[in-house]
Amino acid sequence: MTTPQTPPHKLTCHCGAVELSVKLADGFNTARRCDCSFCRRRGAIAVSVNLGDLQVVRGADQLSLYTWGTHTAKHYFCSVCGIYTHHQRRSNPNEYGVNAGALEGINPRDLGDVPWAEGVNHPSDR
Ligand SMILES: [Zn+2]
């Protein structure tokens, strides 16, 4: 993939209240969409970041947390503008998924055809 991926990436919400610094686990090779009841509504492309490779630079107090179902996954979003920034995964709690569209300098269109993850039939439900 030709998308630039010089780490670390700056990730911002829309209003700028929240800023994260992230190092992608495997560039954009991990980019996924998901069809679970939550992600299908959110509609974002997520990329993987290892748990230790995400820092909240600004706005930790502006982040809201949403959990549902088994309450294992932790979905964070900006409480001011509502933009999803990152979530701690249920399928792998040692990983975050981060909003590819919120990475500075990245146009999600350049990611091409992004594969779909098993959301409706979640691996943890089998
Ligand atoms: Zn915001």
Side-chain angles (χ1 to χ4, degrees):
M1 214 170 280
T2 54
T3 315
Q5 40 184 280
T6 333
H9 281 282
K10 186 171 160 182
L11 187 154
T12 54
C13 69
H14 191 259
C15 73
V18 178
E19 181 186 327
L20 311 181
S21 176
V22 299
K23 219 176 104 208
L24 303 183
D26 186 19
F28 289 95
N29 295 321
T30 61
R32 293 290 181 277
R33 294 180 183 278
C34 174
D35 61 355
C36 83
S37 63
F38 181 68
C39 296
R40 66 170 60 182
R41 288 169 169 80
R42 180 175 62 193
I45 297 169
V47 278
S48 299
V49 171
N50 291 320
L51 219 54
D53 291 336
L54 181 150
Q55 273 85 43
V56 179
V57 177
R58 186 171 67 234
D61 53 340
Q62 307 277 12
L63 281 172
S64 280
L65 170 65
Y66 178 68
T67 65
W68 58 282
T70 62
H71 299 281
T72 313
K74 296 178 172 31
H75 299 274
Y76 294 94
F77 61 97
C78 173
S79 60
V80 181
C81 66
I83 294 300
Y84 151 65
T85 52
H86 64 297
H87 72 285
Q88 190 172 357
R89 292 213 155 113
R90 179 180 166 205
S91 54
N92 181 357
N94 295 315
E95 256 182 22
Y96 288 115
V98 306
N99 184 352
L103 292 168
E104 225 158 73
I106 303 300
N107 185 335
R109 278 179 88 144
D110 297 338
L111 301 179
D113 238 343
V114 174
W116 287 83
E118 283 290 330
V120 164
N121 302 304
H122 196 279
S124 305
D125 288 334
R126 276 174 213 150

